[in-house]
Amino acid sequence: MTVTGIITALIVGLVIGALGRLVVPGRQSIPIWLTMVIGVVAALLGTVVANAIGISTDTPGIDWGELLIQVLLAAVGVALVAGLGGRGRRAL
């Protein structure tokens, strides 16, 4: 992977994280930087999952199937981290 590819993956990951946060209903009690980290991880995992199930990533333009998988993984990640992070913050 080239430097340009890594920078592109990071930018896509940041956008995926933001989209994942928007998809999850309600207010998330996690910082935006953590959401973006989850997005980068979801973008990488989404590409692996898309390749594993046979979605071609060599299509010209935007690969909507891969993008959908990435956003869903980001939404699940944001929901899990927000749920786990919110457990210790219950009001008395």
Side-chain angles (χ1 to χ4, degrees), residues 4 20 22 28 41 48 71-72 75 81 88:
T4 305
L22 290 174
Q28 294 83 35
V41 172
V48 171
V71 170
L72 290 175
V81 172

Side-chain angles (χ1 to χ4, degrees), residues 12-24 35-36 39 67 70-72 74-75 78:
V12 168
L14 297 176
V15 172
I16 295 291
L19 290 173
R21 188 176 182 117
L22 290 174
V23 170
V24 176
T35 303
M36 299 306 168
L67 184 62
Q70 290 170 336
V71 170
L72 290 175
V78 167

Side-chain angles (χ1 to χ4, degrees), residues 4 8 27 35 41 51 60 62-64 66 79 84-85 87 89:
T4 305
T8 302
R27 184 172 178 211
T35 303
V41 172
N51 286 332
I62 298 174
D63 191 350
W64 294 105
E66 181 181 2
L84 293 175
R87 284 187 178 207
R89 299 181 184 161

